[in-house]
């Protein structure tokens, strides 16, 4: 009797010990179409307690029903937050200039969030099954960007000198919105995203038959004659991957084109094009254009071609020190989907002393920069959000000079760390992923990292690192790239203390050059030396699923590893 009672007690104790594990497993293993309690499903989100407070208390609901409810509430919250921002801006006479700039950023970002949530809700409201890979990636990308937009708003408000009344009125709803959007993204990922989301590597040309910076454009004979007469180029059309062009306008400072400024040409582009009939082409002739360019969200599938790096130059000097937020300090900002830029240099000349001063801010989905140059010091290229490719580009900078939370691949590019201010170190990347379900990160593939002339020729003791974790789930991978001796043997630098060293993901694969030796690298849990199988996840074809959208740009690319 005694032994039997002992056995029973032991069994009960074992069950009690295993209960949390069994609960966790049940949360992970429940099929999306099966009924599940809010408590169980919320364990698969980053904010279980908050999740339980916002989901309907309905034990007969499944992941799809909870997901729809969460996205619907996200849409309602985004609408309320936008109204709150509008209310504050109506009282702008009582606010500082920096506060107004930060609120204007939040207004733009909140409007984008409304668009993204409306699109996402249409999908989740009409489908109760795992989506095809491309469609799932579209929605996961939008939900990831919503979190990025909210974080950018929060960062801008925190960094400005606005009154505490503004902070206190906006921080709490922003914090709640962030958790709600995170829950929506987690539920979408669990219910609608396929387990294996890799793209299918399709056969494609690694090197299309045209020279660097040249696209095989297909346009009407009239437009072709105009383009050739001004650019003095023979357009190549021997490729199977022709780039369709619907119309062309020419920007020339001497008055011989259609416009003398780039912004006037952008304003003339059609609105909300779907890209099926081709690109609206803006050809910008050689010259230095001192203007701040915005490709707005309704200027879609716009292509801008210059006369070459250091020939067509767009320049500005807005900076954080002079009262601009990092977000709106950019010389060139693009939001319109499907944007393509070729043969252009974009600069921010504020200098290292002005701290954050962005040359390009890119928040355009399915966007491409080919044979372009980005020149600044701190925060040169803000790869803000959504899906982006940079091919054969030159990027110059010092502190965090490639940063943001896009899904961005840099292929065959040159990164040039410059000479920073005294006491500063160079960080090539500062990736801003804030949520484990975001499909974002920076992938640097077959690039060259070499000290710029000012750094190489100095006697400076400046240290240069591959990156540092700006946000908690920062993710950056260097693959098959050349690193010169300017890279510190540790490779990576902390942000502050031990922040994100466990949760970030930093990886290297088959790099070359004196700076690529991994023997002395950091020993953080988040740092990895990966194999070809893992590296393949960060290629153009898999990370961006770009075989579906990149060929229409005419930009050459390599889909997989070399």
């Amino acid at each position: 009797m005694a032994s039997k009672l002992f056995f029973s007690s032991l069994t009960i104790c074992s069950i009690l010990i295993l209960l949390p594990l069994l609960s966790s497993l049940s949360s992970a293993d429940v099929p999306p179409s099966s009924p599940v309690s809010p408590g169980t499903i919320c364990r698969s989100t980053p904010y279980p307690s908050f999740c339980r407070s916002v989901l309907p208390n309905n034990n007969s609901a499944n992941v799809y029903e909870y997901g729809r409810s969460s996205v619907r509430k996200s849409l309602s919250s985004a609408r309320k937050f936008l109204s709150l921002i509008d209310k504050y801006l109506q009282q702008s006479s009582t606010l500082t200039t920096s506060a107004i700039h930060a609120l204007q950023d939040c207004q733009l970002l909140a409007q984008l969030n409304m668009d993204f949530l409306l699109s996402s809700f249409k999908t989740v409201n009409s489908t109760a099954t795992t989506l095809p890979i491309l469609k799932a990636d579209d929605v996961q990308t939008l939900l990831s960007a919503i979190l990025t937009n909210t974080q950018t708003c929060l960062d801008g408000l925190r960094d400005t000198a606005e009154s505490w009344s503004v902070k206190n009125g906006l921080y709490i709803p922003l914090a709640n919105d962030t958790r709600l959007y995170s829950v929506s993204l987690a539920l979408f990922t669990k219910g609608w995203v396929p387990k294996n989301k890799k793209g299918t590597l399709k056969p494609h040309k690694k090197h299309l038959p045209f020279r660097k910076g040249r696209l095989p454009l297909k346009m009407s004979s009239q437009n072709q004659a105009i383009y050739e007469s001004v650019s003095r180029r023979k357009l190549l059309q021997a490729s199977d991957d022709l780039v369709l062009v619907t119309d062309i306008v020419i920007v020339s400072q001497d008055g011989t084109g259609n416009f003398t400024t780039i912004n006037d040409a952008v304003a003339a582009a059609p609105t909300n094009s779907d890209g099926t009939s081709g690109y609206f082409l803006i050809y910008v002739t050689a010259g230095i254009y001192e203007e701040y360019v915005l490709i707005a969200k309704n200027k879609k599938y716009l292509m801008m071609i210059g006369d070459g790096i250091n020939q067509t130059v767009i320049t500005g000097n807005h900076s954080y020190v002079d009262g601009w937020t990092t977000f709106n300090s950019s010389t060139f900002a693009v939001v319109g989907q499907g944007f393509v830029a070729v043969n252009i240099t974009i600069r921010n000349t504020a200098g290292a002393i002005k701290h954050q001063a962005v040359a390009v801010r890119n928040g355009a989905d399915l966007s491409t920069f080919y044979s372009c140059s980005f020149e600044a010091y701190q925060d040169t290229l803000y790869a803000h959000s959504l899906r982006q490719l940079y091919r054969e580009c030159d990027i110059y900078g010092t502190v965090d000079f490639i940063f943001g939370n896009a899904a961005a691949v840099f292929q065959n590019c040159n990164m040039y760390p410059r000479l920073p201010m005294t006491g500063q170190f160079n960080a090539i990347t500062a990736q801003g992923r804030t949520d484990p379900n975001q499909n974002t990160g920076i992938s640097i593939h077959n690039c060259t990292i070499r000290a710029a002339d000012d750094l190489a020729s100095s006697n400076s003791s400046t240290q240069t690192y591959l990156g540092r974790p700006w946000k908690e789930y920062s993710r950056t991978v260097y693959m098959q790239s050349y690193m010169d001796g300017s890279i510190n043997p540790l490779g990576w630098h902390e942000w502050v203390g031990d922040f994100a060293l466990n949760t970030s993901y930093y990886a290297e694969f088959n790099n070359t050059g004196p700076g690529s030796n991994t023997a002395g690298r950091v020993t953080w849990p988040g740092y990895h030396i990966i194999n070809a199988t893992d590296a393949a996840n960060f290629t153009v074809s898999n990370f961006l699923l770009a075989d579906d959208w990149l060929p229409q740009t005419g930009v050459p690319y390599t889909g997989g590893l070399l």
Side-chain angles (χ1 to χ4, degrees):
M1 180 66 72
S3 61
K4 188 174 181 181
L5 286 172
F6 173 77
F7 177 77
S8 300
S9 301
L10 182 62
T11 303
I12 292 169
C13 289
S14 300
I15 291 171
L16 290 173
I17 292 170
L18 288 171
L19 272 176
L21 177 61
L22 293 172
S23 298
S24 174
L25 288 173
S26 65
S27 171
D29 296 341
V30 171
S33 58
S34 299
V36 62
S37 71
T40 299
I41 198 62
C42 284
R43 280 194 287 272
S44 63
T45 73
Y47 301 100
S49 296
F50 179 83
C51 174
R52 288 193 298 273
S53 73
V54 296
L55 290 187
N57 189 14
N58 181 359
N59 289 334
S60 64
N62 60 30
V63 173
Y64 300 112
E65 291 161 321
Y66 288 128
R68 287 191 201 102
S69 173
S70 179
V71 175
R72 187 185 296 109
K73 287 188 177 182
S74 295
L75 185 55
S76 176
S77 290
R79 187 177 290 112
K80 290 176 183 176
F81 182 73
L82 181 56
S83 297
L84 189 60
I85 292 293
D86 291 341
K87 184 184 77 172
Y88 274 114
L89 283 172
Q90 288 168 6
Q91 305 165 0
S92 59
S93 60
T94 64
L95 299 173
T96 64
T97 300
S98 60
I100 293 170
H101 286 160
L103 287 168
Q104 288 171 339
D105 292 350
C106 290
Q107 185 181 51
L108 168 64
L109 294 162
Q111 289 168 347
L112 290 172
N113 279 358
M114 288 290 297
D115 294 342
F116 296 166
L117 281 164
L118 282 167
S119 177
S120 299
F121 185 68
K122 286 180 182 177
T123 300
V124 300
N125 199 41
S126 61
T127 310
T129 184
T130 300
L131 290 169
I133 289 172
L134 294 173
K135 186 63 177 176
D137 195 63
D138 286 345
V139 179
Q140 189 177 10
T141 295
L142 295 179
L143 294 176
S144 296
I146 289 163
L147 274 168
T148 303
N149 290 343
T150 307
Q151 184 64 51
T152 302
C153 172
L154 196 60
D155 288 345
L157 290 172
R158 185 191 61 233
D159 292 341
T160 57
E162 83 281 9
S163 68
W164 278 104
S165 62
V166 174
K167 280 190 176 181
N168 292 337
L170 293 175
Y171 272 24
I172 291 174
L174 268 177
N176 286 336
D177 287 353
T178 297
R179 288 191 287 266
L180 183 55
Y181 301 153
S182 179
V183 168
S184 295
L185 175 58
L187 295 177
F188 177 80
T189 302
K190 186 170 183 60
W192 283 270
V193 176
K195 297 298 182 188
N196 182 6
K197 203 170 69 74
K198 285 186 181 180
T200 302
L201 289 174
K202 301 175 183 177
H204 59 270
K205 298 180 179 68
K206 284 189 177 182
H207 304 288
L208 298 179
F210 52 96
R211 295 195 299 276
K212 176 180 170 65
R214 193 76 60 85
L215 298 183
L217 303 176
K218 182 180 181 180
M219 57 182 76
S220 69
S221 58
Q222 180 181 2
N223 283 338
Q224 184 168 329
I226 293 171
Y227 185 85
E228 288 184 356
S229 67
V230 178
S231 68
R232 299 179 299 280
R233 291 181 184 164
K234 178 69 175 175
L235 297 179
L236 301 179
Q237 298 202 355
S239 168
D240 293 333
D241 298 313
L242 294 174
V243 181
L244 297 176
V245 174
T246 58
D247 205 354
I248 178 173
V249 296
I250 295 169
V251 180
S252 183
Q253 291 177 321
D254 63 8
T256 59
N258 305 96
F259 303 98
T260 57
T261 70
I262 297 170
N263 277 310
D264 284 345
V266 172
T271 58
N272 294 315
S273 169
D274 63 6
T276 55
S277 57
Y279 290 93
F280 182 85
L281 173 60
I282 299 175
Y283 169 52
V284 187
T285 61
I288 297 177
Y289 296 81
E290 296 181 4
E291 53 181 308
Y292 297 92
V293 178
L294 170 63
I295 313 299
K297 68 177 183 178
N298 63 350
K299 299 296 181 178
K300 299 179 180 180
Y301 294 96
L302 190 155
M303 179 177 285
M304 190 175 292
I305 299 180
D307 269 333
I309 290 175
N310 293 329
Q311 299 300 310
T312 297
V313 179
I314 306 170
T315 183
N317 62 4
H318 287 170
S319 69
Y320 176 76
V321 169
D322 288 338
W324 302 92
T325 62
T326 301
F327 184 81
N328 64 23
S329 70
S330 57
T331 301
F332 192 99
V334 54
V335 184
Q337 179 173 308
F339 177 76
V340 180
V342 185
N343 294 338
I344 297 173
T345 290
I346 304 169
R347 294 176 180 151
N348 188 316
T349 60
I353 198 170
K354 293 298 180 77
H355 296 279
Q356 296 96 322
V358 175
V360 170
R361 186 191 83 230
N362 186 4
D365 200 19
L366 313 179
S367 56
T368 311
F369 284 81
Y370 173 43
S371 188
C372 290
S373 180
F374 313 102
E375 301 175 9
Y377 287 84
Q378 183 171 346
D379 291 0
T380 302
L381 175 55
Y382 196 170
H384 181 263
S385 54
L386 304 166
R387 294 165 288 193
Q388 313 175 2
L389 175 74
Y390 301 84
R391 168 81 183 199
E392 296 174 32
C393 291
D394 299 334
I395 307 107
Y396 296 80
T398 55
V399 180
D400 306 333
F401 67 91
I402 300 172
F403 75 112
N405 195 25
V409 177
F410 295 80
Q411 191 173 84
N412 294 32
C413 293
N414 300 303
M415 283 83 174
Y416 294 110
R418 305 175 85 169
L419 183 65
M421 291 193 297
T422 302
Q424 288 185 328
F425 61 85
N426 289 330
I428 297 172
T429 65
Q431 207 281 325
R433 188 165 168 254
T434 61
D435 190 284
N437 290 303
Q438 287 178 308
N439 59 352
T440 55
I442 292 173
S443 173
I444 295 174
H445 183 210
N446 195 33
C447 293
T448 297
I449 296 93
R450 182 175 280 120
D453 290 344
D454 61 347
L455 179 59
S457 61
S458 72
N459 293 320
S460 169
S461 59
T462 296
Q463 300 297 304
T464 298
Y465 299 88
L466 300 175
R468 59 180 184 150
W470 181 28
K471 302 296 182 184
E472 189 173 2
Y473 294 94
S474 180
R475 180 161 65 175
T476 302
V477 179
Y478 284 80
M479 312 187 299
Q480 300 177 319
S481 294
Y482 175 85
M483 303 174 182
D484 77 357
S486 66
I487 302 299
N488 185 286
L490 286 170
W492 306 84
H493 197 284
E494 68 277 358
W495 186 265
V496 58
D498 61 357
F499 171 73
L501 302 189
N502 295 329
T503 51
S504 59
Y505 182 89
Y506 288 139
E508 297 182 53
F509 170 72
N510 272 17
N511 298 301
T512 59
S516 68
N517 189 337
T518 58
R521 289 294 197 249
V522 294
T523 57
W524 309 338
Y527 172 72
H528 310 274
I529 299 172
I530 56 176
N531 58 28
T533 300
D534 292 332
N537 292 321
F538 299 96
T539 58
V540 171
S541 292
N542 284 337
F543 196 50
L544 301 180
L545 301 184
D547 292 328
D548 183 63
W549 58 271
L550 196 54
Q552 74 182 54
T553 68
V555 172
Y557 70 100
T558 301
L561 297 171
L562 300 179

